[in-house]
Amino acid sequence: MAPTLEADLTEPPSEALNANLKAAPPKLVAPEPEHCPGPESDQAGKGDACDGCPNQAICATAPKGPDPDIPIITERLSGVKHKVLVLSGKGGVGKSTFSALFAQAFSTLLRKKKIRRGDGDVEDNAEEEEEEDDTPPTVGIMDTDLCGPSIPRMLLGDNLQDIHTTSSGWEPVWASDTLAVMSIQFMLEDPDAAVIWRGPKKNGLIKRFLKDVEWGKLDLLVVDTPPGTSDEHLSIQSFLKEAGVDGAVLVTTPQEVALLDVRRELDFCRKAGIRVIGIVENMSGFVCPNVKCGRESQIFRPTTGGARKLCKDEGVLFLGSVPLDPRIGMACDFGESFLEAFPESVAAKRITEVVGLVGESIGLEVVT
Amino acid sequence: MGLENVKHIILVLSGKGGVGKSSITTQLALTLSLQGRSVGVLDVDLTGPNIPRFFGIEAKKVTQAAGGLVPVVVHEGRDKTIGIANGSTKKRRDNLTFGSLSCMSLGFILSSRSSAVIWRGPKKTAMVRQFLTSTLWPANLDYLLIDTPPGTSDEHISLLETLLKEAMPGQLAGAVVVTTPQAISTSDVKKELNFCVKTNVKVLGIVENMSGFVCPHCRECTNVFSKGGGEVMAREFGKPFLGSVPIDPAFVMLIEEGKLPTYPEGTMVEGVDVGGAGLADVSEAQDPDNYVPDDGLLVEKYTSCSLYPIFDGIVKRLVLDVEGEAS
């Protein structure tokens, strides 16, 4: 699939980085006031906070109603069977690592199950589906952490590639035959450049990742997110509302400081109407690699019962715990697949179990 | 009001989440306090405010006063030693002097500890500005440490915009940048260093956190997240490298349960044996499942932590850099 460079339908990625949001929200003449109802909202220009705001007239006359781009996103993602978000309130708990391993596990280690579809779930072309049975699922991974994108390094190591523009959109970078990757890191000329963006600009790029990327036919799209509950999360949720999200996997570490943020994330999922598939506890326990010792200790001690207890209290599925293995970090630094390199390790086995549970939960049946 | 009471402002930044910004902020604050400085901590991580938990003051609330918000006091300053008690630890502690420590966080204002703050940019901007300009810090506060969320986005832009407008020249001393050793982390943190370059914030130094974990059973140190990445990055960018901080489960226990840190004998930190009776009473080395919480102040207990000597060194360098320049 050679990219044609005379593409006229879409801007090259570099321009998108510098451009503001296309249509909505309206161009404002002053910063939004503190209690701004949001320039895109139905209340724009009519709220109490709008009185005296220099933007009032602009907001009041801007086109209202649902974002016209959402049907385009829905159309673009029509070939994507399942969509899973990876969330965590806290940073550095292993969202990106888990997203990467998850995508790798699906796209390389696993095989689609023989399709035995029963009631009502009619496939367009049953025969073609049968033939695909023994192939690994095709997986896409979208990195929405714009200020700290880690996915490209984890999957591709140092050999970053540029995104090609074709007449039908941006072509994702393929980490393997069955694993498509999209991240802002591919668009930066200087890999260390800081992306100093406020919310609306971040939302604009996330929208383009969904609207303009040629995802094609995917069995699964994994969306990796930044920590917190802010612009990126709200945008993903609203952009994907119509296309439908299967659910979210929450990642945490065992100590209370991390669980505290996960509770906030659960609250966010509830408020935003996102189904929680379950919680994975990462970095849970560490086995001393010293041959004379080999005893287990807790680096991040689960003083309040860890994720297992949290799941029980909140009525959420506990997907499993993955021990801390220094080799995972090393593999990620060099873009190697930990699961392929150390399939016998405890961590790899646990991760595969978690992947199986998630697959089962969203109805993407696979065999290991 | 607000910032006029403050002498020096230090930002704690990191491009990556979970590298220990809040943990480093906490320890910098405790150590500055132990070096006799009065310290304020401002937590601008609005969607994950953890500073209250680190200082063990989650239940506290901020009070509104004429002209602004009153921060929560972690401990008052103590400038002379108090009476002599029996136990050796107790005695050593009573001889400690330290500056006051207070803190401000969105966590104090939230009604429930598990409710999510789902805010877009403009609202975060307004909150950051309000925190910066209307917190009534105690008069003559020596240091204000600002703990930030990961990334280079709304909170950071607002923070620097407000500081540019409100802070006096020289008041913003600079930023301490935190990383962990692995390449995944340093590649994000390099972005933060470039952010500092773009916004003209002086980088006071780089701290490498989570470099190595000392097994509590055999005292063997494992580089869980590899080692040396922070130092290499500091050299690459020509910034001072302040030091490597290992993972210390005893520090986590101190924060989570208020347990006095104790170590197996022969645990060496900065050439000092902190194990056994080195710093703490042997009698206090109890069964972890069956211990009585120590009722001392966090700052007192922190002096028994193996990380304290490391931070003592880091803070001495910082103070020399910041105050040496001001005079």
Side-chain angles (χ1 to χ4, degrees):
Chain A
M1 220 185 289
T4 55
L5 289 171
E6 73 253 39
D8 53 342
L9 291 174
T10 47
E11 299 171 63
S14 57
E15 268 177 49
L17 275 173
N18 299 318
N20 270 312
L21 268 178
K22 264 161 79 187
K27 275 243 180 297
L28 303 182
V29 292
E32 296 102 317
E34 180 178 349
H35 296 290
C36 177
E40 299 119 286
S41 80
D42 290 342
Q43 282 303 307
K46 296 181 210 146
D48 291 342
C50 300
D51 288 336
C53 174
N55 300 319
Q56 189 177 14
I58 300 168
C59 290
T61 53
K64 294 286 176 327
D67 189 333
D69 284 331
I70 288 185
I72 305 176
I73 291 173
T74 310
E75 173 61 32
R76 179 66 97 173
L77 295 179
S78 57
V80 179
K81 288 191 191 140
H82 300 283
K83 300 165 207 80
V84 170
L85 310 182
V86 179
L87 301 174
S88 162
K90 178 134 177 60
V93 295
K95 277 179 303 301
S96 299
T97 309
F98 182 75
S99 301
L101 289 170
F102 187 59
Q104 268 170 345
F106 268 113
S107 66
T108 55
L109 296 182
L110 307 178
R111 295 290 176 270
K112 279 192 240 180
K113 229 175 203 175
K114 289 260 182 234
I115 293 182
R116 280 165 302 182
R117 300 223 180 251
D119 42 330
D121 203 342
V122 187
E123 290 294 313
D124 287 347
N125 189 337
E127 270 176 47
E128 197 184 286
E129 284 294 325
E130 290 285 348
E131 277 168 25
E132 279 181 6
D133 275 357
D134 234 15
T135 59
T138 311
V139 180
I141 183 163
M142 186 174 114
D143 186 1
T144 62
D145 190 346
L146 306 181
C147 295
S150 314
I151 293 289
R153 178 174 278 275
M154 289 179 180
L155 294 175
L156 296 148
D158 275 329
N159 44 20
L160 293 184
Q161 299 164 30
D162 289 336
I163 289 168
H164 296 295
T165 313
T166 68
S167 56
S168 54
W170 296 346
E171 181 68 17
V173 172
W174 291 85
S176 73
D177 291 348
T178 48
L179 180 55
V181 191
M182 192 67 196
S183 168
I184 193 173
Q185 189 68 38
F186 299 128
M187 303 177 168
L188 301 176
E189 269 174 38
D190 170 10
D192 297 336
V195 177
I196 311 172
W197 287 3
R198 287 192 182 268
K201 219 170 160 190
K202 293 197 279 193
N203 300 339
L205 188 68
I206 291 175
K207 188 189 264 183
R208 302 212 55 186
F209 276 180
L210 291 167
K211 188 167 74 77
D212 294 340
V213 173
E214 181 59 28
W215 290 108
K217 275 193 142 193
L218 294 180
D219 291 288
L220 173 69
L221 178 66
V222 179
V223 181
D224 185 29
T225 61
T229 48
S230 192
D231 290 284
E232 294 90 337
H233 311 82
L234 288 166
S235 304
I236 283 286
Q237 189 264 344
S238 59
F239 294 153
L240 289 181
K241 209 169 215 168
E242 264 179 51
V245 173
D246 290 68
V249 174
L250 270 60
V251 185
T252 185
T253 48
Q255 79 278 34
E256 177 60 23
V257 171
L259 296 177
L260 201 58
D261 287 348
V262 172
R263 284 197 197 94
R264 297 190 181 114
E265 202 75 33
L266 277 172
D267 188 39
F268 168 80
C269 288
R270 253 175 233 134
K271 284 177 181 161
I274 299 169
R275 179 188 152 216
V276 176
I277 295 173
I279 301 180
V280 190
E281 185 176 87
N282 196 15
M283 307 193 200
S284 128
F286 172 70
V287 178
C288 182
N290 180 357
V291 276
K292 283 183 223 142
C293 179
R295 288 161 76 187
E296 191 171 331
S297 50
Q298 298 290 337
I299 292 187
F300 303 107
R301 228 181 129 85
T303 50
T304 53
R308 198 182 290 269
K309 167 117 188 321
L310 177 77
C311 286
K312 218 175 140 205
D313 294 348
E314 302 275 347
V316 174
L317 179 67
F318 178 67
L319 292 169
S321 54
V322 180
L324 187 62
D325 188 327
R327 292 173 298 187
I328 297 181
M330 299 260 263
C332 285
D333 274 359
F334 295 103
E336 303 287 332
S337 168
F338 171 77
L339 297 175
E340 276 179 11
F342 304 102
E344 291 307 309
S345 65
V346 181
K349 283 182 186 151
R350 294 271 182 83
I351 292 166
T352 317
E353 279 169 29
V354 172
V355 168
L357 275 174
V358 175
E360 208 174 283
S361 164
I362 59 173
L364 179 66
E365 296 197 348
V366 286
V367 280
T368 45
Chain B
M1 100 199 56
L3 295 174
E4 296 120 32
N5 288 345
V6 182
K7 284 190 203 141
H8 309 287
I9 301 172
I10 296 179
L11 310 178
V12 180
L13 299 174
S14 167
K16 177 128 178 68
V19 295
K21 279 178 302 301
S22 300
S23 152
I24 298 284
T25 309
T26 305
Q27 298 188 69
L28 286 175
L30 291 173
T31 315
L32 274 166
S33 162
L34 283 164
Q35 294 189 5
R37 306 309 196 274
S38 54
V39 188
V41 177
L42 175 65
D43 182 9
V44 298
D45 189 347
L46 303 177
T47 52
N50 291 327
I51 286 289
R53 181 157 184 95
F54 271 94
F55 286 110
I57 45 175
E58 273 183 298
K60 299 274 174 61
K61 291 274 175 247
V62 174
T63 46
Q64 186 101 32
L69 300 163
V70 183
V72 172
V73 175
V74 180
H75 61 248
E76 300 287 353
R78 185 202 285 168
D79 53 7
K80 52 176 183 275
T81 55
I82 51 175
I84 292 160
N86 317 334
S88 61
T89 312
K90 189 94 176 71
K91 185 174 163 188
R92 199 177 53 81
R93 273 193 199 164
D94 287 344
N95 286 327
L96 285 174
T97 58
F98 39 79
S100 69
L101 177 58
S102 48
C103 113
M104 182 71 192
S105 164
L106 183 68
F108 296 131
I109 300 171
L110 297 178
S111 53
S112 149
R113 66 202 285 263
S114 50
S115 60
V117 177
I118 309 170
W119 287 358
R120 286 195 184 264
K123 225 171 159 194
K124 291 200 279 191
T125 303
M127 199 71 207
V128 167
R129 196 177 301 135
Q130 197 195 340
F131 268 6
L132 266 177
T133 53
S134 63
T135 304
L136 299 168
W137 296 108
N140 292 323
L141 191 76
D142 291 315
Y143 284 90
L144 176 63
L145 301 178
I146 303 183
D147 184 26
T148 61
T152 48
S153 191
D154 291 286
E155 289 93 335
H156 305 79
I157 301 173
S158 317
L159 188 63
L160 283 160
E161 274 179 359
T162 314
L163 283 176
L164 273 180
K165 238 187 291 168
E166 307 283 336
M168 288 166 280
Q171 198 178 13
L172 177 61
V176 171
V177 177
V178 185
T179 185
T180 51
Q182 72 274 41
I184 281 290
S185 177
T186 54
S187 61
D188 282 355
V189 177
K190 282 175 187 168
K191 291 180 193 291
E192 199 76 30
L193 289 173
N194 280 323
F195 171 79
C196 291
V197 172
K198 272 198 180 163
T199 51
N200 276 323
V201 173
K202 182 184 171 188
V203 176
L204 295 170
I206 292 162
V207 177
E208 181 180 278
N209 194 21
M210 305 193 192
S211 61
F213 169 68
V214 179
C215 173
H217 304 295
C218 68
R219 302 196 300 277
E220 182 95 352
C221 185
T222 310
N223 296 327
V224 186
F225 301 107
S226 83
K227 190 170 169 68
E231 196 164 359
V232 171
M233 183 177 73
R235 214 177 305 133
E236 194 183 314
F237 279 77
K239 303 292 179 202
F241 181 67
L242 294 173
S244 314
V245 180
I247 300 172
D248 181 0
F251 174 71
V252 182
M253 289 298 286
L254 171 66
I255 294 301
E256 297 261 327
E257 299 187 352
K259 188 179 183 302
L260 186 78
T262 49
Y263 301 92
E265 244 164 278
T267 309
M268 303 294 284
V269 177
E270 302 273 287
V272 182
D273 186 352
V274 298
L279 286 176
D281 272 345
V282 187
S283 61
E284 288 179 61
Q286 299 165 14
D287 177 10
D289 299 324
N290 183 24
Y291 79 98
V292 187
D294 191 304
D295 59 352
L297 290 174
L298 176 65
V299 67
E300 294 174 332
K301 284 186 265 186
Y302 180 63
T303 55
S304 300
C305 181
S306 74
L307 302 179
Y308 171 58
I310 300 172
F311 273 87
D312 197 43
I314 292 175
V315 166
K316 275 188 183 130
R317 275 185 73 177
L318 278 178
V319 165
L320 191 71
D321 189 4
V322 172
E323 295 180 13
E325 218 165 74
S327 61

